Amino acid sequence: MTQRFGYYIVRDDEKMDIGRESQPLSEDAWNDFNKYVAVATDVRPFVIDYLSLKDDFEVVSGVTTRIKSEVAQRENPLANIGINHLKTMAMAQGAISNFLSSASAFRDRAKTRLRAAFGKASAEEQRFIDTERAAYDGWFAYRLLYNLRNYGQHHDMPLSLVPVSARRKADGKFAATANLLIDPTEILESDLIQNSFRKKELSKLTEQLELMPMVQQYMQLHGLMLNLIVSIHLPRLVQMQEYEALLLEKTRIPSGAIPMIYEENEKGEIGRFHHFSFDEVLFLRELAGSIQKPDPDPFVNK
């Protein structure tokens, strides 16, 4: 079986133009290819988990907008108020529960992958753990939502209240407001809340807390964890980019073409083929660059 670099281009008539290198891949060239592109495979699971978390964040972020829209469309917001309230609570509880679970899965699986790649108690795993600890120690939002996930998973629903109100506008249509609230006093008695957090912080809070500003900070802090993962793999990502430039120069793959590796039999007939791409590195760079550190936390204990 012979392997060659090549490409294909989908034409306007939906047929394909195929190009192949005249020289087959040597064993050294094949090994180099696998060596330099392997980092994309290694980083990809981290990115998938983060994008899944980001999707759940966007769902949570859109809950109040969805609630307001649904209320505003009712002919009478007070009609079937009990049923509508149940549906509203179910939607909101499900959204925040999924988000908190995704965040926990992102962290746990990240540590598992780092241990598998670099070894148990490696410097890379410890850097991730240190980033987790810095988030927990530095932001009240992280401490609360970290504990709220345990509470919501094993004790009771994480949200306390979803207050909704509506008023009729001059044109006869309804305008609604909605919010997602947490009542600290409701979770004080749970032994699933970390003891020092409960005694030193939750017990001193008497007012209900708005969830969404804390969700925003929680998401940003998980973004910092992704950026750490990128930085751990950065030397290999740079090598992959350098390899990409050399490969594209050597193979002269046309702009817009899909790079391929073709497998040929003894007669030169194409059997299996494998497409590959370097666009994940560009996407990862853009994703990491879009992540912002949250503002300093006014709740931090001095």
Side-chain angles (χ1 to χ4, degrees), residues 24 26 29 37 39 74 89 113 139 160 166 179 188 191 217 245 255 291-292:
S26 66
V37 303
V39 64
R74 297 173 193 163
M89 288 294 290
R113 294 183 186 117
W139 279 268
S160 303
N179 207 344
L188 272 175
D191 57 6
Q217 286 191 330
S255 176
I291 293 169
Q292 297 179 344

Side-chain angles (χ1 to χ4, degrees), residues 255-280:
S255 176
I258 307 300
M260 307 288 293
I261 293 177
Y262 294 99
E263 294 183 353
E264 302 173 355
N265 60 23
E266 293 78 5
K267 298 179 180 180
E269 298 170 336
I270 297 176
R272 294 177 15 173
F273 56 90
H274 312 273
H275 67 80
F276 63 93
S277 173
F278 296 99
D279 58 354
E280 285 185 64

Side-chain angles (χ1 to χ4, degrees), residues 7-290:
Y7 63 88
Y8 75 86
I9 299 175
V10 179
R11 302 189 320 218
D12 292 339
D13 60 5
E14 298 185 357
K15 295 182 179 180
M16 290 193 304
D17 287 334
I18 295 177
R20 283 179 283 177
E21 286 284 288
S22 59
Q23 295 297 319
L25 281 174
S26 66
E27 183 177 352
D28 287 343
W30 175 242
N31 289 337
D32 281 347
F33 174 80
N34 284 297
K35 171 186 175 182
Y36 289 117
V37 303
V39 64
T41 302
D42 294 341
V43 175
R44 190 177 299 132
F46 297 98
V47 178
I48 290 172
D49 276 351
Y50 179 79
L51 292 177
S52 177
L53 172 61
K54 191 169 181 286
D55 286 342
D56 285 332
F57 166 72
E58 290 171 355
V59 171
V60 175
S61 300
V63 163
T64 55
T65 299
R66 180 178 168 185
I67 292 171
K68 290 186 288 186
S69 176
E70 290 180 358
V71 171
Q73 291 175 14
R74 297 173 193 163
E75 292 185 6
N76 181 1
L78 296 179
N80 302 317
I81 191 170
I83 295 174
N84 289 327
H85 178 68
L86 285 175
K87 293 180 178 179
T88 296
M89 288 294 290
M91 176 177 62
Q93 297 284 7
I96 185 59
S97 293
N98 289 341
F99 172 68
L100 296 176
S101 294
S102 289
S104 179
F106 170 78
R107 298 190 305 270
D108 290 345
R109 290 201 284 248
K111 285 179 286 191
T112 297
R113 294 183 186 117
L114 291 173
R115 282 194 294 270
F118 300 101
K120 189 174 181 180
S122 64
E124 290 79 6
E125 181 191 7
Q126 189 59 49
R127 287 174 66 188
F128 190 89
I129 292 172
D130 290 344
T131 302
E132 281 186 299
R133 289 173 177 167
Y136 192 95
D137 293 341
W139 279 268
F140 173 83
Y142 190 97
R143 294 191 292 279
L144 178 63
L145 296 187
Y146 179 93
N147 282 278
L148 193 63
R149 182 263 172 188
N150 294 334
Y151 177 85
Q153 186 79 15
H154 304 290
H155 192 119
D156 208 337
M157 293 181 289
L159 277 178
S160 303
L161 296 167
V162 184
V164 180
S165 63
R167 61 178 179 81
R168 193 184 296 275
K169 299 186 294 184
D171 60 4
K173 297 180 180 179
F174 286 97
T177 61
N179 207 344
L180 307 180
L181 301 178
I182 296 173
D183 187 347
T185 63
E186 289 189 358
I187 61 177
L188 272 175
E189 302 307 317
S190 174
D191 57 6
L192 295 171
I193 305 300
Q194 198 226 11
N195 192 43
S196 62
F197 176 62
R198 179 173 58 243
K199 290 182 177 179
K200 294 180 180 179
E201 297 185 81
L202 277 186
S203 63
K204 298 178 181 178
L205 299 175
T206 57
E207 296 182 357
Q208 296 166 347
L209 303 174
E210 288 190 31
L211 178 69
M212 288 314 304
M214 292 185 288
V215 167
Q216 176 76 30
Q217 286 191 330
Y218 200 58
M219 184 67 211
Q220 289 173 325
L221 289 164
H222 284 79
L224 298 183
M225 295 176 197
L226 177 70
N227 274 354
L228 171 66
I229 291 166
V230 173
S231 71
I232 288 172
H233 293 86
L234 187 59
R236 293 175 61 208
L237 289 168
V238 171
Q239 288 181 333
M240 181 177 172
Q241 283 190 301
E242 293 171 347
Y243 177 77
E244 173 194 9
L246 292 172
L247 179 63
L248 294 180
E249 180 182 355
K250 177 181 180 298
T251 58
R252 297 176 181 173
I253 296 174
S255 176
I258 307 300
M260 307 288 293
I261 293 177
Y262 294 99
E263 294 183 353
E264 302 173 355
N265 60 23
E266 293 78 5
K267 298 179 180 180
E269 298 170 336
I270 297 176
R272 294 177 15 173
F273 56 90
H274 312 273
H275 67 80
F276 63 93
S277 173
F278 296 99
D279 58 354
E280 285 185 64
V281 177
L282 176 60
F283 173 77
L284 186 57
R285 184 195 306 161
E286 293 173 348
L287 179 63
S290 69

